[in-house]
Amino acid sequence: MIAGRKPRDKVGFQRFCALDEIPVGSSLQCEAAGCRIALFQCEAGVSAISGVSTHARARLSDGAFDGVRCAVECPLHGVEFDVRSGAVLTPPATAPAATYPVRVREGVVEVGVGGEAAGEE
């Protein structure tokens, strides 16, 4: 994690890690503004979704991640989520995962959390 990261800037983005800490095909679990967030680096770039499955509250960063398909499989029941949109790809989950906006600035991954920046209410 980035030492001395600032809390949040005026648009709700928080610094999480250096981009090279998340190579393509890997994930990282973080926490901000009381939310567990999972960062995923797929071939299309870095995405951030809720860190827990909407079905059984399992930690998604512990699931199998396909960096080509940009899909993560819940380690408990095999539900797959698209990490770009949060969409459910396979049952038994029916509710999508919350998504968060991501930007990379000077090699640092920042995620929009809280306020209007987050993809959840």
Side-chain angles (χ1 to χ4, degrees):
M1 296 297 197
I2 301 293
R5 68 180 183 206
K6 60 183 179 181
R8 283 186 285 177
D9 68 19
K10 62 185 175 189
V11 293
F13 280 84
Q14 181 172 328
R15 298 169 57 129
F16 275 93
C17 62
L19 182 59
D20 61 7
E21 289 183 57
I22 318 171
V24 173
S26 67
S27 64
L28 181 66
Q29 181 84 15
C30 304
E31 191 163 325
C35 300
R36 285 185 273 175
I37 298 170
L39 299 177
F40 297 92
Q41 171 79 285
C42 57
E43 290 182 357
V46 180
S47 297
I49 64 173
S50 172
V52 294
S53 169
T54 58
H55 174 251
R57 311 294 299 161
R59 188 173 150 149
L60 290 177
S61 63
D62 290 341
F65 174 56
D66 183 332
V68 174
R69 291 180 48 236
C70 296
V72 64
E73 180 180 287
C74 175
L76 287 182
H77 299 110
V79 174
E80 283 189 321
F81 295 93
D82 183 311
V83 300
R84 297 164 296 187
S85 67
V88 175
L89 300 176
T90 61
T94 57
T99 60
Y100 299 87
V102 175
R103 67 185 184 195
V104 178
R105 288 192 168 174
E106 298 177 4
V108 176
V109 176
E110 298 178 343
V111 178
V113 292
E116 296 177 10
E120 68 179 9
E121 307 210 14

